[in-house]
Amino acid sequence: MSQAATPNSYAVGQLWACKGRHADEQPTLLINRIDQHPLGGGNIYHVTLDALKIRHPGLPSGYMTDLAHAPVTDQTLQHSELRFIGLREPNPGYQKGYDQWREAFDEGRAGSFGVSTPTILEIVERRLNDTPLDQP
């Protein structure tokens, strides 16, 4: 099996392996859409993160395995130890989250992540489990 060539820039449909928080979590990141940031001049990538192991008390298994939509910046991609896997169709499941995010973003109530994928996953898990972000 040959390794896919690494592209020179980010594009819709690219699937990347990225850094997780521990050995049981080896996430992938799929770029579904790219928006130009209206103020920052950079891009906002609307990604799906998969192969996760996020504690979630509201699910029967106790774990969430995917995050259908996460808005991230170039900084997230640069700090997440990405390894190009190949090309895929965008995940249609991201659209609902994107639509909610877009409405809130346009009203000034939402932003995007500019931190590594492990940090995003930690933030999501802490919010789902009512653990303060400043608590170890």
Side-chain angles (χ1 to χ4, degrees), residues 19-22 25 49 52-55 64 67 113 115-136:
K19 186 174 180 174
R21 297 170 294 164
H22 43 73
E25 188 175 65
L49 294 166
L52 308 176
K53 194 165 185 181
I54 295 175
R55 286 181 304 112
M64 185 169 80
L67 186 58
F113 291 105
V115 295
S116 69
T117 50
T119 302
I120 292 170
L121 301 177
E122 188 65 25
I123 290 167
V124 170
E125 185 170 272
R126 286 174 176 263
R127 295 246 169 113
L128 289 170
N129 291 280
D130 292 325
T131 305
L133 296 175
D134 61 353
Q135 187 177 36

Side-chain angles (χ1 to χ4, degrees), residues 13-16 28-32 46-48 88-91:
Q14 291 175 344
L15 181 67
W16 300 85
T28 60
L29 180 151
L30 174 64
I31 300 175
N32 297 302
H46 300 279
V47 304
T48 295
R88 301 282 188 279
E89 288 295 317
N91 178 347

Side-chain angles (χ1 to χ4, degrees), residues 32-86:
N32 297 302
R33 179 187 181 119
I34 303 171
D35 289 341
Q36 186 71 32
H37 193 292
L39 303 175
N43 291 319
I44 299 176
Y45 303 89
H46 300 279
V47 304
T48 295
L49 294 166
D50 220 339
L52 308 176
K53 194 165 185 181
I54 295 175
R55 286 181 304 112
H56 190 314
L59 296 177
S61 69
Y63 290 95
M64 185 169 80
T65 59
D66 73 301
L67 186 58
H69 175 255
V72 303
T73 65
D74 286 301
Q75 290 82 3
T76 294
L77 302 180
Q78 293 164 2
H79 297 293
S80 296
E81 299 180 20
L82 298 181
R83 292 177 318 283
F84 185 67
I85 297 173

